[in-house]
Amino acid sequence: MMRRLLIALGIFASLAASAQRMGYVDTQALLKRHPMYVQAQAEVERLNNQYHGEVQSLFDDADALRGQLEAERVLLTTGMIAEREKLISNTLDSAKARQMRYFAPEGTLFAKREELVAPIQSQIAGAIREVARRKKLDFVFDKGSNLAVVYANESLDITNEVLQQLGF
């Protein structure tokens, strides 16, 4: 009796598993073809270059002050040397603080990227959901993520349909 029950459960589980429909999508390809994403990436790159320039300028200022101090050290009093060393230290601290404010995980650059990219990702997710519902898919995997897809039947790729749903 128990054996029959286990066999019946095994058959039921295999039938249920085979009834699931799956598809996959390449979100990286979707993002690269989305014009708003390209613009967002360009804006993030522009800000990155601007912020990097500001931070590098402060580090360069500190290096210049240090070079000037070393060149004039023999002419300066102990108090003047301490004053200049404090100025160099303050300049370096300012550069490091600005670097953290711009480039830390909670920094300005990452916040701006999230602000620009989140609506695009939401739009793509909605299009994926719509195509998955239309095709009656139970699962949609992301080929562009770290999820390992060992084999993918191209007939299950819904990337082009998602692009059409987005209007691209």
Side-chain angles (χ1 to χ4, degrees):
M1 183 68 168
M2 185 63 144
R3 185 175 173 191
R4 285 185 182 174
L5 180 61
L6 288 174
I7 291 172
L9 283 174
I11 292 172
F12 177 73
S14 66
L15 288 174
S18 66
Q20 295 176 345
R21 293 185 38 118
M22 294 177 256
Y24 70 92
V25 65
D26 187 347
T27 55
Q28 292 301 315
L30 293 172
L31 287 171
K32 288 177 183 174
R33 299 218 14 220
H34 199 295
M36 287 174 48
Y37 182 76
V38 173
Q39 291 172 354
Q41 287 296 92
E43 175 67 11
V44 168
E45 185 64 27
R46 185 191 67 76
L47 287 172
N48 181 52
N49 291 337
Q50 175 188 333
Y51 295 160
H52 180 73
E54 289 178 24
V55 170
Q56 189 59 48
S57 176
L58 287 170
F59 280 118
D60 291 346
D61 290 349
D63 286 342
L65 288 170
R66 184 174 290 117
Q68 184 180 8
L69 171 63
E70 293 307 316
E72 299 174 355
R73 185 176 289 274
V74 294
L75 304 173
L76 301 174
T77 65
T78 306
M80 294 169 89
I81 292 172
E83 186 178 306
R84 289 199 182 178
E85 286 176 342
K86 183 173 178 157
L87 178 62
I88 293 167
S89 177
N90 289 343
T91 304
L92 284 172
D93 290 345
S94 177
K96 290 174 186 174
R98 191 168 295 186
Q99 188 174 39
M100 290 300 293
R101 186 171 67 235
Y102 289 154
F103 299 109
E106 301 84 25
T108 306
L109 187 64
F110 287 96
K112 186 64 171 180
R113 184 184 187 289
E114 181 66 25
E115 173 190 323
L116 294 171
V117 173
I120 299 165
Q121 290 173 328
S122 178
Q123 183 185 23
I124 288 173
I128 291 170
R129 265 192 307 278
E130 182 59 35
V131 170
R133 284 186 189 129
R134 190 170 57 237
K135 293 190 83 164
K136 296 182 175 137
L137 299 176
D138 296 314
F139 298 99
V140 176
F141 296 100
D142 180 7
K143 181 180 168 187
S145 72
N146 291 335
L147 175 66
V149 177
V150 178
Y151 170 76
N153 183 341
E154 290 184 16
S155 68
L156 300 174
D157 187 356
I158 62 170
T159 304
N160 288 330
E161 292 174 55
V162 173
L163 282 169
Q164 289 173 350
Q165 179 70 30
L166 289 167
F168 306 124

